[in-house]
Structure formats: C-alpha cells, structure tokens
Amino acid sequence: MTDQTVTAEYLMGISDARKFMRAYPHINPATEIDTLTSTIKLFGASSPVGQMLRGERDFWRNQIK
C-alpha cells in the first residue's frame, strides 16, 4: 500500500465539477473528460491547477460508471 495524499486542490476540483453538473444537468461527461485531460497536459498533473483539473476529471469519470 502506498501513502497518497489528496490535496485541497483535488477536492476543490471535485466540488467545482459537482456544482457545474448541478447547474448544467445535461452536460456530456465524455466531453468534459476529453477537455480536462488535454488541459491537464498543459499545466502538469502535479501542479496545483493540474491537481484541481484531475479532481474534476475523476468526478466526471465516476459519473459515467
């Protein structure tokens, strides 16, 4: 088992995505995932912005399941 830390930015991303989904319930999760994945590459996954985007992306992935 590895010690992995959930950052405040990651949690903020989840919260923001949830708010966005409630405001726009007909949004396509697959489109959001594609956009977030390409944007993460611009910022780097370990940067604070990258962590926030990863939280959003993971939220949308879980909506598809």
Side-chain angles (χ1 to χ4, degrees):
M1 181 180 233
T2 62
D3 293 332
Q4 294 184 350
T5 304
V6 176
T7 65
E9 291 85 3
Y10 182 87
L11 295 175
M12 185 186 320
I14 292 171
S15 177
D16 287 350
R18 184 177 293 120
K19 288 176 190 174
F20 190 77
M21 184 184 73
R22 288 181 180 154
Y24 303 98
H26 300 294
I27 195 83
N28 182 354
T31 303
E32 291 299 308
I33 292 168
D34 291 343
T35 302
L36 290 164
T37 301
S38 62
T39 308
I40 289 168
K41 292 176 185 175
L42 297 174
F43 288 96
S46 61
S47 71
V49 173
Q51 285 292 306
M52 187 179 83
L53 295 171
R54 285 178 64 202
E56 290 185 46
R57 184 193 60 197
D58 291 350
F59 173 84
W60 290 111
R61 283 181 175 167
N62 285 323
Q63 297 309 303
I64 292 175
K65 290 182 182 180

